[in-house]
Amino acid sequence: MSEEANMWAQAEQTVFSQLTGSDLLVENLKLPADFIWGAATSAYQVEGGATQDGKGRSIWDTYTHLEPSRTNGENADVTCDHYNRFEEDVKLMKSLGMDTYRLSIAWARVIPLGGRHDPINEAGITFYIRLIDTLLAHGITPSVTLYHWDVPQALYDRYKAFLNTDEFRADFERYARLCFTRFGDRVKSWVTFNEPYIISIFGHLNGSLAPGHCLQAETDTKTEPWRVGHTIILSHASVVRIYAEEFQPSQNGRISIVLNGHFYEPHDATKQADIDAAQIRLEFYVGWFGDPIFLGRDYPASMKEYLGHRLPRFTPDDLELLKATCSVNAFYGMNHYSTKFARQLTTPAAEDDWTRNIEESSVNSKGEEIGPASSMPWLRIAPSGFRKLLNWAWDRYQLPIMVTENGCPCPGEADLEVAINDQFRQRYLGLYLDSISKAIYEDGIKVQGYYAWSLMDNFEWSSGYGPRYGIVHVDFETLKRTPKGSAYYLQQTFQERRKDQA
Ligand code: GBH
């Protein structure tokens, strides 16, 4: 072992010793025989081929080339080169025993300028058909996300993308129709948007993700995020209606959306204000989208009350549409990584506050940490919070849950030896799978499948190539793929957990 690897191995040991508490031991609990598993990626993070075969630019192509850099000096022009290496990647998935693969389509690859009257790029269509057919030929079911953060730059230039609800919605409808028409004979699982909360808040309030709107950029952070969220909800509902009316009868697929969210525990469990804060934080994070989309009704009362006129209103027609489409959503797509504590502040909130003045942290009032940290300080191992979020989502929405992303980067993973022997991640994954088992068998919740984030190390947005979430290691010099211990762990544990559970 190199000296550095040795140092990291020791650091990992230290973190690991925190893991030996009784509730942090993997129990290898059973999962249903028909439970499916696989891994997830997104187009911009893995494809590369940024200008290949007529692809147009997205807001991420712009954002990663800003000076000074806002993405750690890095971009995803090449990244994993999945665009040219997908056959190798699909074979790898097959060899690891995956049932399914979650991918996203780069809108600007199939419609380079993005708009409803703009030309289609047949070469881009061909790429996705080849990828999908290769998956199917290997017995791997594709689940396709239409939007994972990469709106065509031309639409941003024309009307600021999500900030213009009517324009965006019309362009997104055409893009979705194109995808259903061209891929829908093969794809039976669709997701419209990945993580509307992140698009709204991280893209249009704190500006750490493209298009990078924030106070310093002199954009209206008081209202923009809520407008963006509104656009996403209505665009989702429109596309669900289109799918149900025009495609589902012949194609027989399922459609929904992916919502992310931490679970929140009260910072001081003896204070009613903090108990309420934990619940309200979840409403502002998940209910914001979940209530209109899955329940076909207005925003949560807590949001309307606090945000007042900052929150756009649904018209009677909008509410009709939401009501008519909510039951078409076939599953709740859940991206989940970790749990935090929520605390009600009494100090005056910032003018563009988006939390109802609730502060979140990994430490509670007694100074206890929510769990051992991965290489991202916010991402702690807290499997009981996962089980509670599954319960929260199930109680509120009564929809079968697909866990569409879950995973972590390990402490010390910059070192290849630590990456390959990724004990920390294996422990994390094992514990989170145990939580799913408990949710299914002890709590009576329908959880249907699981996608590890991510199939392979990739471009982690504003953090560039720093954090490595893959269950497969990628050497970004040579682009060589090497499965980590966790890839084999998942292969084996799914085999064992699903045995004899018919
Ligand atoms: C997902 O986003 C994305 O879908 C995926 O593309 C991404 O690569 C993956 O997760 C890993 O990040 O301010 O403390 O709440 C997750 C988005 C990123 C949201 C980190 C919360 C900041 C931590 N999350 N983010 S905190």
Side-chain angles (χ1 to χ4, degrees):
M1 231 188 222
S2 68
E3 195 180 315
E4 201 195 357
N6 197 23
M7 193 184 86
W8 278 115
Q10 273 170 23
E12 213 201 21
Q13 271 309 311
T14 316
V15 178
F16 230 71
S17 60
Q18 300 176 8
L19 272 175
T20 48
S22 59
D23 59 338
L24 290 177
L25 290 174
V26 179
E27 296 171 82
N28 264 307
L29 302 174
K30 65 184 176 177
L31 289 167
D34 61 354
F35 190 91
I36 58 168
W37 87 278
T41 62
S42 84
Y44 186 70
Q45 292 177 277
V46 300
E47 282 181 4
T51 55
Q52 227 174 305
D53 301 333
K55 177 181 166 291
R57 290 162 57 81
S58 80
I59 55 170
W60 270 96
D61 290 300
T62 306
Y63 194 71
T64 51
H65 289 275
L66 293 176
E67 295 284 346
S69 175
R70 295 171 71 170
T71 52
N72 197 33
E74 290 155 335
N75 62 62
D77 290 359
V78 178
T79 178
C80 307
D81 198 31
H82 185 60
Y83 186 74
N84 298 299
R85 294 166 197 253
F86 69 87
E87 285 176 330
E88 174 192 344
D89 294 333
V90 172
K91 286 194 183 112
L92 189 55
M93 295 176 215
K94 176 72 188 167
S95 77
L96 293 170
M98 292 183 195
D99 308 303
T100 176
Y101 175 51
R102 175 171 177 240
L103 64 117
S104 81
I105 293 178
W107 185 343
R109 210 181 270 296
V110 297
I111 310 172
L113 297 174
R116 54 202 180 274
H117 306 299
D118 293 320
I120 293 166
N121 178 32
E122 285 301 328
I125 303 264
T126 303
F127 165 69
Y128 291 107
I129 289 189
R130 288 179 59 211
L131 170 55
I132 292 162
D133 282 350
T134 307
L135 289 162
L136 293 172
H138 287 80
I140 297 169
T141 307
S143 174
V144 175
T145 299
L146 294 174
Y147 187 78
H148 199 125
W149 305 359
D150 48 355
V151 70
Q153 180 64 35
L155 301 187
Y156 184 81
D157 294 342
R158 282 175 198 166
Y159 55 80
K160 296 260 183 302
F162 291 96
L163 291 173
N164 187 325
T165 302
D166 293 343
E167 287 291 327
F168 181 90
R169 189 171 171 183
D171 286 342
F172 188 69
E173 286 176 8
R174 189 276 187 127
Y175 163 56
R177 249 196 201 99
L178 174 69
C179 292
F180 299 149
T181 305
R182 304 299 289 275
F183 312 124
D185 55 341
R186 301 157 159 92
V187 174
K188 304 299 165 191
S189 169
W190 293 99
V191 166
T192 54
F193 293 94
N194 180 71
E195 302 189 346
Y197 181 95
I198 302 296
I199 300 168
S200 309
I201 299 296
F202 287 73
H204 298 83
L205 189 140
N206 63 36
S208 61
L209 299 175
H213 288 201
C214 56
L215 260 187
Q216 294 89 310
E218 285 168 28
T219 42
D220 180 7
T221 52
K222 262 184 85 171
T223 61
E224 277 193 5
W226 315 105
R227 167 56 53 191
V228 171
H230 207 69
T231 300
I232 294 173
I233 291 164
L234 293 174
S235 302
H236 168 83
S238 290
V239 163
V240 165
R241 180 170 58 190
I242 287 170
Y243 188 68
E245 285 176 359
E246 300 171 27
F247 298 94
Q248 211 167 29
S250 61
Q251 297 184 347
N252 285 311
R254 315 202 300 164
I255 190 164
S256 193
I257 191 165
V258 163
L259 306 182
N260 69 305
H262 310 292
F263 184 72
Y264 291 93
E265 298 279 6
H267 178 258
D268 181 341
T270 66
K271 272 198 188 142
Q272 190 58 42
D274 284 1
I275 295 170
D276 295 344
Q279 169 63 18
I280 289 167
R281 187 73 192 96
L282 279 167
E283 290 174 4
F284 271 64
Y285 210 125
V286 181
W288 177 5
F289 304 97
D291 287 12
I293 289 172
F294 298 137
L295 301 177
R297 65 177 199 212
D298 205 351
Y299 293 113
S302 55
M303 291 183 70
K304 291 201 293 183
E305 192 185 308
Y306 184 70
L307 295 166
H309 67 274
R310 290 169 63 192
L311 194 62
R313 293 248 172 88
F314 291 117
T315 66
D317 281 355
D318 295 341
L319 287 167
E320 268 309 300
L321 172 69
L322 292 170
K323 221 180 276 163
T325 53
C326 65
S327 60
V328 180
N329 292 288
F331 56 93
Y332 178 117
M334 179 187 287
N335 285 1
H336 177 76
Y337 291 88
S338 201
T339 293
K340 292 186 170 193
F341 294 108
R343 171 195 207 174
Q344 184 59 60
L345 299 178
T346 48
T347 50
E351 248 191 87
D352 64 353
D353 173 50
W354 69 103
T355 64
R356 199 178 150 284
N357 214 14
I358 291 168
E359 180 187 67
E360 44 186 68
S361 139
S362 298
V363 184
N364 70 10
S365 60
K366 296 184 193 154
E368 296 161 344
E369 298 184 17
I370 194 78
S374 68
S375 78
M376 305 298 262
W378 62 273
L379 205 171
R380 311 278 179 141
I381 303 190
S384 63
F386 181 33
R387 180 177 175 185
K388 289 180 191 174
L389 184 65
L390 290 167
N391 272 276
W392 189 90
W394 174 256
D395 289 347
R396 201 168 176 105
Y397 303 122
Q398 296 285 311
L399 275 173
I401 297 169
M402 288 295 295
V403 179
T404 37
E405 286 181 26
N406 177 242
C408 69
C410 296
E413 204 171 349
D415 192 286
L416 178 63
E417 291 172 57
V418 174
I420 299 300
N421 182 20
D422 58 348
Q423 300 285 334
F424 185 91
R425 181 182 290 105
Q426 292 173 48
R427 183 74 75 97
Y428 174 97
L429 298 171
L431 288 162
Y432 276 63
L433 291 178
D434 283 344
S435 289
I436 294 178
S437 174
K438 289 176 193 166
I440 295 174
Y441 292 105
E442 293 176 39
D443 307 335
I445 299 174
K446 280 201 191 103
V447 189
Q448 301 179 324
Y450 179 88
Y451 294 86
W453 182 270
S454 174
L455 173 65
M456 54 192 160
D457 296 336
N458 59 49
F459 180 76
E460 180 51 27
W461 308 112
S462 50
S463 308
Y465 294 99
R468 292 175 172 270
Y469 281 83
I471 56 170
V472 171
H473 179 269
V474 176
D475 178 328
F476 289 104
E477 300 285 313
T478 62
L479 297 179
K480 183 175 177 329
R481 280 85 160 126
T482 311
K484 303 178 188 176
S486 55
Y488 299 118
Y489 170 75
L490 287 177
Q491 173 173 32
Q492 197 199 346
T493 198
F494 276 107
Q495 253 169 34
E496 283 168 14
R497 289 173 192 254
R498 295 185 297 188
K499 216 179 271 168
D500 309 320
Q501 309 298 340

